[in-house]
Amino acid sequence: MTHAATSGGPDLPQERRLVTEIPGPQSQAKFARRGMHVAKGVGTTLPLFIAAAGGGVLVDVDGNSLIDLASGIAVTGVGNSAPEVTSRVIEQVQAFTHTCFMITPYDGYVDVCEQLAELTPGDFPKKSALFNSGAEAVENAVKIARTFTGRAAVAVFDHAYHGRTNLTMAMTSKNMPYKHGFGPFAGEVYRAPMSYPFREPTNVTGEQAADRAIDVLDKQVGAANLSCVVIEPILGEGGFVVPAEGFLPRLREWTAEHGIVFVADEIQTGFCRTGDWFACDHEGVVPDLVTTAKGIAGGFPLAAVTGRTDIMDSVHAGGLGGTYGGNPVACAAALGAIEAMKKHDLVTRARAIGEVMGARLAAISQSHPSVGDIRGRGAMMAVEIVSADGHTPDAARASAISAFCHAHGVLTLTCGTFGNVLRFLPPLVMPEHLLIEAFDVVAEAFDAAG
Ligand SMILES: Cc1ncc(COP(=O)(O)O)c(C=O)c1O
C-alpha cells in the first residue's frame, strides 16, 4: 500500500515526515526499473520518486515528506503546483496546446515578452524571443550578439556554467561531468578570470579583478573582435560565487566603451531568487541582453532572451525560433508564476529567507572550521567546505553533509568547480518553520561530519 499524496501544491501538509528509510522500498523498486530503461548518463542526486510537491515539501511514493532546499535547481521559486500557475495552465490546455508561434501567434507569448520588458533591468525599449531551455537561450543570445556586432568572439569566465549544448559546453568551464569526451567544442570562445573573493591570491578589489579579466581579453582576443561578454552575475553551478563589488559595473562599462554586447546569464539568479527581480539589480548593472529560464515558469520549460530593441531586432526575420519555443502552456505558466511573484512579494520573501539562512550558517561556522566561506544573496546561499588548512576544497565532507541531510529528510545540493560547495535554494514560498527545521538538520549534519 502506498501512502503517497495524490495532489500537490501549497495545501500539502508542510511538514518533514519520515515513514521509511530514505530511499524507501517503493522508491528503490522504481529506481531499479529506472536503471533498466533510462540512459546511465542521466544523473540522480537522490533516488526518491516523487508523488506530489508544494510549498516547501516533496512527498515521495513511500509517503516520506522531505523539506526542499533545491527547488528543482532554482526552478520552483513560486512552489510546485502553485495555484496561480495551475489555474492558468488548465485553462490554456483546455483552449489549445500548440500552434507554433512562428506559424500562427497567440497572446500568451506576447504577454510574457511584455512582462519581461517591464521586469528586466533597464528603462529603454526592449524585446524578447522565447525558447525551451536555458542553454537554448544562451545560444540565441550569442547568435543575436554576433549578428548585431558582425564579430565572432565570445568571452566567458572561469567557473562558468551556461549549458550542455555544443556552444554552451564550450562556454561552460568544468570538464566533469559536463564536457568530458564530448568535444570538439564550438570555437571562438575565450575564458577570462572571474572575481572569486574567497580564492583570490591577495585582497583584489572588484575593479582590479575586472581589469585583470579585461587585460586577458584585450591581449588574447582584442576588444574589437568580441561580439559579447556572457556572465552569470552570481555563479550558479560554479559555486554561488558573488563577485567582489565593482566587478560587474567595471566590466559593463568596458563592454559599453567597445561596443561589446553585455549578456547577463540570469537563468539561475533571476525571478526574485536573490532578493531582487534580477541579480544585476543589486549593483544597478544594466545588461544589453538578459537570458532567463528556470524560475520564469513555475516548473514549465520556458526560456528567454530579452534586451535592447536595436540589438534584438538586428536578426533577419526567421533567424530566431523553434517548434516549441514559447509554447502556449509554458507561457500561461510563466504568466501565473509572475503573478504569484508579484502577489506574494517574493522579492521581499527571498531577502527574509536569506537572512534566516545566513544567520544559521554563521552560527554553524562558529563551531565548524570546515566552513571556509558563506556567500550568496537572498534565497541563493552556499557554504564552501574546506579542510583544516582553511583553504583546500573538501568535496568528500560536502558530500557527507549533504547525504546526512538527505537521510534525515532535507533535500540539499552541492556544486562548485571543486565539488565542495553546499548550496541552498528553497522555494520562496517555504514556510518559516520548515526553513528553521531544515537548518536544524543541516547543523546536525555538520556535527555528524565532525
Ligand atoms: C546560469 C545558467 N545558465 C544556463 C543554464 C542551462 O539551463 P538549462 O539547463 O535550462 O539548459 C543553467 C542551468 O543550470 C544555468 O544555471
Side-chain angles (χ1 to χ4, degrees):
M1 181 185 142
T2 172
H3 302 280
T6 49
S7 71
D11 293 338
L12 273 178
Q14 296 296 296
E15 62 183 12
R16 180 170 63 111
R17 182 180 69 239
L18 295 183
V19 295
T20 69
E21 63 186 323
I22 300 290
Q26 297 212 35
S27 274
Q28 287 184 35
K30 287 174 185 291
F31 196 69
R33 183 167 165 268
R34 176 203 195 279
M36 288 190 286
H37 300 292
V38 179
K40 217 168 74 180
V42 182
T44 304
T45 297
L46 180 59
L48 282 190
F49 275 69
I50 298 304
V57 298
L58 300 160
V59 179
D60 74 11
V61 288
D62 289 288
N64 299 296
S65 174
L66 281 83
I67 305 177
D68 180 11
L69 293 184
S71 298
I73 321 187
V75 171
T76 50
V78 297
N80 260 287
S81 302
E84 296 85 354
V85 173
T86 53
S87 60
R88 287 186 189 244
V89 164
I90 290 166
E91 210 175 290
Q92 181 59 51
V93 165
Q94 288 171 341
F96 63 96
T97 50
H98 176 79
T99 64
C100 186
F101 188 75
M102 301 181 304
I103 306 299
T104 51
Y106 39 86
D107 280 337
Y109 190 117
V110 183
D111 292 341
V112 170
C113 296
E114 187 179 38
Q115 288 290 315
L116 284 165
E118 180 195 309
L119 297 171
T120 52
D123 190 14
F124 43 73
K126 286 179 229 160
K127 289 190 178 179
S128 293
L130 304 184
F131 305 97
N132 303 293
S133 69
E136 209 189 334
V138 172
E139 291 246 357
N140 278 279
V142 172
K143 281 162 64 174
I144 294 164
R146 283 177 168 162
T147 309
F148 179 71
T149 57
R151 308 171 184 170
V154 174
V156 292
F157 289 83
D158 285 336
H159 312 288
Y161 181 85
H162 296 293
R164 295 172 181 267
T165 56
N166 189 265
L167 174 59
T168 58
M169 275 193 293
M171 296 169 70
T172 289
S173 159
K174 190 173 174 176
N175 175 49
M176 206 55 165
Y178 308 123
K179 302 167 74 164
H180 187 72
F182 297 150
F185 303 112
E188 287 301 317
V189 175
Y190 300 91
R191 197 168 303 284
M194 181 64 182
S195 164
Y196 191 155
F198 179 61
R199 296 202 171 272
E200 295 292 358
T202 53
N203 212 6
V204 178
T205 66
E207 285 83 0
Q208 286 166 341
D211 285 336
R212 182 179 62 191
I214 289 166
D215 195 46
V216 167
L217 294 173
D218 247 338
K219 301 282 182 328
Q220 296 182 14
V221 194
N225 296 312
L226 276 170
S227 62
C228 55
V229 164
V230 184
I231 187 160
E232 298 157 88
I234 299 175
L235 291 175
E237 303 305 300
F240 283 24
V241 175
V242 183
E245 201 181 323
F247 179 77
L248 293 171
R250 171 76 190 108
L251 268 182
R252 205 302 159 236
E253 183 185 73
W254 178 74
T255 55
E257 278 165 20
H258 294 276
I260 301 163
V261 176
F262 185 94
V263 183
D265 181 346
E266 293 253 16
I267 284 164
Q268 190 150 166
T269 49
F271 290 102
C272 309
R273 175 55 56 188
T274 65
D276 237 318
W277 275 94
F278 293 92
C280 279
D281 293 329
H282 292 282
E283 281 192 89
V285 169
V286 179
D288 295 311
L289 301 180
V290 180
T291 55
T292 52
K294 289 190 182 280
I296 191 175
F300 281 74
L302 188 73
V305 182
T306 301
R308 274 171 43 193
T309 291
D310 56 333
I311 301 178
M312 292 298 295
D313 276 349
S314 65
V315 177
H316 50 278
L320 304 175
T323 305
Y324 294 113
N327 165 271
V329 184
C331 286
L335 294 169
I338 292 167
E339 180 194 331
M341 291 176 217
K342 290 180 178 172
K343 190 163 90 186
H344 304 300
D345 189 8
L346 295 186
V347 161
T348 304
R349 189 67 203 125
R351 289 185 184 201
I353 288 172
E355 275 168 30
V356 172
M357 296 198 295
R360 294 303 302 269
L361 293 171
I364 290 170
S365 74
Q366 295 300 308
S367 49
H368 292 283
S370 61
V371 175
D373 193 25
I374 301 170
R375 57 185 181 239
R377 281 194 203 277
M380 181 174 182
M381 299 276 304
V383 280
E384 180 156 354
I385 307 296
V386 292
S387 58
D389 63 8
H391 203 256
T392 305
D394 191 346
R397 185 181 292 266
S399 296
I401 293 167
S402 207
F404 181 100
C405 292
H406 296 172
H408 292 81
V410 176
L411 179 59
T412 49
L413 301 176
T414 57
C415 66
T417 298
F418 316 109
N420 66 326
V421 178
L422 280 167
R423 59 171 156 171
F424 306 106
L425 291 163
L428 308 178
V429 293
M430 162 130 3
E432 186 102 347
H433 75 272
L434 271 191
L435 188 65
I436 290 167
E437 187 173 341
F439 276 82
D440 289 345
V441 174
V442 171
E444 285 168 30
F446 272 86
D447 291 343

